[in-house]
């Protein structure tokens, strides 16, 4: 896409959703961090169902440590890979209590040092909690970036680097959420809803669906 086309793409997405945000439910930085860790290879809907059970019982690092790993598993057992995720969340909580005063750290280095937190999770936290212009490339963003021609890449890091290069600065804070939501509800994996897409005339995808 040309620079003008990229600007137009984000201008349209911003017009219909001026303040995009995550669909994960949370009320504190710690709740968001845990929700993002739990969301790996799981849907936001499924994670929200689990955290609605968990957070009224334990929503701080110390409270989850007090709950214990088996207690945590009972609350998140509906989520895929819950055994490994419970182990990571317990270890994460221990580090937050011992090294960060129970608070979510604000640096990429400290976030990525937490069990279960990789670059993608760190990017979500930095963007959503701390207002940094980061883009966490999940399957939706990877698909949209490649299909549209916005930032083609063979892997998620290539797409992330491409997006960081082409996204206009004024749209960088919201780009992560706009692209995820567009991929989730319009540019879907099996059958994109091209007739309903507001950027279809800018998109390079050759196999657009018809009404």
């Amino acid at each position: 896409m040309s620079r003008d086309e990229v600007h137009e793409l984000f201008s349209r997405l911003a017009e219909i959703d001026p303040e995009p945000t995550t669909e994960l439910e949370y009320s504190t930085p710690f709740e968001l961090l845990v929700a993002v860790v739990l969301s790996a290879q799981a849907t936001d809907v499924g994670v929200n169902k689990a955290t609605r059970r968990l957070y009224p019982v334990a929503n701080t690092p110390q409270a989850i440590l007090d709950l214990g790993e088996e207690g945590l598993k009972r609350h998140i057992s509906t989520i895929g890979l819950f055994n490994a995720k419970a182990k990571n969340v317990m270890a994460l909580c221990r580090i937050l209590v011992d090294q960060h005063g129970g608070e979510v750290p604000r640096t990429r280095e400290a976030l990525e040092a937490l069990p279960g937190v990789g670059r993608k999770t760190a990017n979500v936290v930095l963007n959503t909690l701390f207002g940094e212009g980061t883009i966490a490339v999940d399957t939706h963003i990877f698909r949209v970036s490649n299909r549209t021609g916005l930032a083609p890449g063979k892997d998620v890091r290539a797409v992330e680097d491409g997006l960081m290069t082409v996204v206009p600065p004024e749209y960088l804070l919201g780009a992560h959420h706009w692209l995820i939501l567009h991929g989730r509800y319009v540019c879907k994996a099996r059958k994109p809803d091209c007739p309903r897409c507001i950027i279809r005339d800018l998109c390079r995808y050759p196999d657009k669906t018809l009404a």
Side-chain angles (χ1 to χ4, degrees):
M1 285 189 183
S2 69
R3 181 175 298 181
D4 287 344
E5 287 174 323
V6 172
H7 194 281
E8 178 64 19
L9 180 151
F10 283 105
S11 174
R12 294 181 193 179
L13 294 177
E15 185 175 356
I16 64 169
D17 189 4
E19 297 183 0
T21 189
T22 180
E23 293 188 318
L24 291 170
E25 297 171 0
Y26 71 98
S27 59
T28 68
F30 175 72
E31 287 185 0
L32 178 65
L33 174 62
V34 170
V36 178
V37 170
L38 295 178
S39 71
Q41 299 180 44
T43 65
D44 287 2
V45 171
V47 172
N48 288 338
K49 286 180 180 178
T51 56
R52 285 175 201 151
R53 295 191 299 269
L54 172 64
Y55 291 156
V57 176
N59 72 335
T60 67
Q62 188 59 58
I64 286 183
L65 289 173
D66 292 343
L67 190 63
E69 187 172 327
E70 291 306 314
L72 176 59
K73 285 180 182 179
R74 285 195 293 272
H75 288 88
I76 66 170
S77 60
T78 54
I79 300 175
L81 307 175
F82 73 92
N83 284 311
K85 290 175 181 179
K87 191 175 295 293
N88 281 335
V89 170
M90 295 301 292
L92 173 156
C93 288
R94 174 52 60 196
I95 292 174
L96 290 183
V97 169
D98 291 348
Q99 300 179 21
H100 300 286
E103 301 295 322
V104 176
R106 298 181 65 103
T107 68
R108 176 183 298 283
E109 181 182 23
L111 285 167
E112 291 188 13
L114 298 172
V117 178
R119 183 177 182 85
K120 185 172 74 172
T121 298
N123 279 343
V124 174
V125 172
L126 291 169
N127 178 268
T128 305
L129 286 181
F130 303 131
E132 294 193 20
T134 56
I135 299 176
V137 180
D138 68 350
T139 56
H140 298 302
I141 294 183
F142 185 80
R143 180 173 64 254
V144 171
S145 297
N146 276 287
R147 267 186 186 166
T148 61
L150 174 62
K154 292 183 178 181
D155 55 48
V156 293
R157 186 57 192 269
V159 169
E160 180 186 338
D161 291 343
L163 288 170
M164 295 302 292
T165 300
V166 303
V167 176
E170 64 268 34
Y171 295 119
L172 195 53
L173 185 60
H176 166 78
H177 298 299
W178 283 317
L179 294 175
I180 283 179
L181 294 171
H182 189 69
R184 184 173 290 163
Y185 296 112
V186 181
C187 194
K188 293 175 280 191
R190 292 187 179 179
K191 186 178 180 182
D193 193 357
C194 300
R196 195 167 63 88
C197 177
I198 63 170
I199 60 170
R200 60 187 174 275
D201 58 314
L202 305 171
C203 175
R204 300 292 195 266
Y205 187 52
D207 301 316
K208 293 185 177 70
T209 57
L210 302 175

